[in-house]
Amino acid sequence: MKQNPFLITLFTLLFSALTTTNAQNIQVHYDFGRNIYTGAEASRSKVTITLEQFKADNLGQWYYFVDADLSSRFFESAYTEISREFKFGKQSPFSAHIEYNGGLSRNGSFQQAGLVGAAWNGHNSDFSKTYSVQLMYKQYFKSYDTTRSYASAQLTGVWGLHFLNRKLTFSGFIDFWRGEKANGHGCLVILSEPQLWYNFTKHFSLGTEWEFSNNFVYNSDPNSTQTFFWNPTLAVKFNL
C-alpha cells in the first residue's frame, strides 16, 4: 500500500507531542473564510489542525507549531515555524532568535525562509501577562521554479493575557515583513491571528481565532484585486 508522506509526518509529530511532558496543545479550527470570500478564497481549507509547543530552559526557549490543512478528500498541506532563543544573560529580557519557516502541500511546497535577529521578552510576576517583540533579518530561499531567493526583514509581536482566574485567555501575534508580488515588486505583508479562549478545564478550551492579513492570502478570483482578508474560525483546544 502506498503511504502518504504528509500523514506520516503529522502522525509522527502528534505521537511525539503525546509522549513528552512539555507544555503543548492541539487545536482544531473550522475556518469560515471560504464562506465569506466565495470567489477569492474558493480553495481555502475549512479545517486546520494545529500542534503547538513551547518550552523554556536554562539557555532560553524554543517554540514550534505545525498547521495541517484538511479537505474532505485530501491532507492538503503542513506548514511549520520552528524557533530557538538564547538569552543574553540570566536576568536579561533580550535573547538571540533563530527561526525556520516552511512546509509541504499536496501540490508542492511553501517557500522556505530562515530568520535571525533579537527578541525582547517579558512577563508579570505570575505569568498571567506575557509579551515578546522580535526584529529579524529574513532570507527567502528558492523553493520551487516560480520563486527566487531574496532578502527581507520581519517585525513580530506576541502576547498572552489571562483573565477571570485564567478562565479567559487572549493571545496571538502580529507580523510585518517585506514580501514580493508575482511581478517581483516588493510589498508590505501584515498577518495577525488573535485568539480568545474560554478554558473549561486545564485541558479543554473553546474559542475563536481571527486571522487579519494584507498581501498574504492568495486571491483565486482573477477579477478581484482584494488584498485584505478577515478569516474567523471556531475552535477547540486540548492542552496536553
Side-chain angles (χ1 to χ4, degrees):
M1 182 177 66
K2 187 176 180 180
Q3 295 178 318
N4 187 317
F6 304 121
L7 288 177
I8 292 173
T9 301
L10 176 64
F11 290 147
T12 300
L13 288 169
L14 291 176
F15 179 78
S16 174
L18 290 169
T19 54
T20 62
T21 57
N22 300 324
Q24 60 233 309
N25 67 76
I26 296 176
Q27 304 170 25
V28 181
H29 292 261
Y30 184 87
D31 194 302
F32 294 95
R34 186 173 177 175
N35 305 100
I36 298 173
Y37 308 102
T38 54
E41 293 193 312
S43 61
R44 187 176 180 90
S45 295
K46 289 188 176 182
V47 177
T48 298
I49 299 175
T50 298
L51 171 64
E52 184 179 43
Q53 182 174 23
F54 171 87
K55 181 182 178 182
D57 54 39
N58 291 333
L59 297 178
Q61 59 196 36
W62 73 279
Y63 168 82
Y64 78 83
F65 75 83
V66 179
D67 278 345
D69 290 329
L70 309 178
S71 70
S72 59
R73 297 179 57 195
F74 298 106
F75 182 91
E76 296 289 343
S77 64
Y79 173 79
T80 185
E81 295 187 3
I82 305 170
S83 66
R84 172 71 208 193
E85 291 188 359
F86 297 94
K87 293 186 294 187
F88 289 143
K90 189 173 182 179
Q91 303 299 324
S92 174
F94 295 99
S95 298
H97 182 105
I98 56 174
E99 184 176 329
Y100 166 80
N101 301 167
L104 299 173
S105 72
R106 184 168 59 87
N107 299 315
S109 67
F110 294 91
Q111 187 169 11
Q112 301 178 86
L115 301 90
V116 60
W120 177 45
N121 305 314
H123 58 83
N124 63 350
S125 59
D126 63 355
F127 288 85
S128 62
K129 298 179 178 65
T130 60
Y131 61 85
S132 176
V133 179
Q134 303 152 17
L135 180 61
M136 297 165 286
Y137 168 81
K138 188 173 189 177
Q139 178 65 48
Y140 278 99
F141 304 105
K142 181 178 174 61
S143 302
Y144 44 93
D145 290 342
T146 58
T147 63
R148 72 179 190 90
S149 62
Y150 66 93
S152 179
Q154 180 168 309
L155 176 64
T156 293
V158 184
W159 70 89
L161 301 171
H162 299 285
F163 305 97
L164 300 177
N165 198 26
R166 296 185 177 267
K167 281 296 184 181
L168 278 180
T169 298
F170 178 56
S171 58
F173 71 87
I174 185 167
D175 290 334
F176 304 87
W177 75 91
R178 179 191 178 275
E180 282 196 353
K181 297 181 179 180
N183 59 11
H185 291 174
C187 62
L188 174 64
V189 183
I190 303 174
L191 176 64
S192 182
E193 295 183 358
Q195 297 181 340
L196 182 64
W197 299 98
Y198 182 81
N199 306 307
F200 288 91
T201 70
K202 291 191 301 182
H203 301 290
F204 177 74
S205 304
L206 179 66
T208 182
E209 175 183 278
W210 287 15
E211 179 189 281
F212 299 95
S213 68
N214 193 56
N215 289 320
F216 177 73
V217 171
Y218 171 73
N219 189 334
S220 57
D221 184 352
N223 299 315
S224 172
T225 58
Q226 181 175 356
T227 61
F228 175 84
F229 292 88
W230 164 63
N231 294 301
T233 76
L234 181 64
V236 293
K237 179 168 64 172
F238 303 92
N239 299 294
L240 304 174

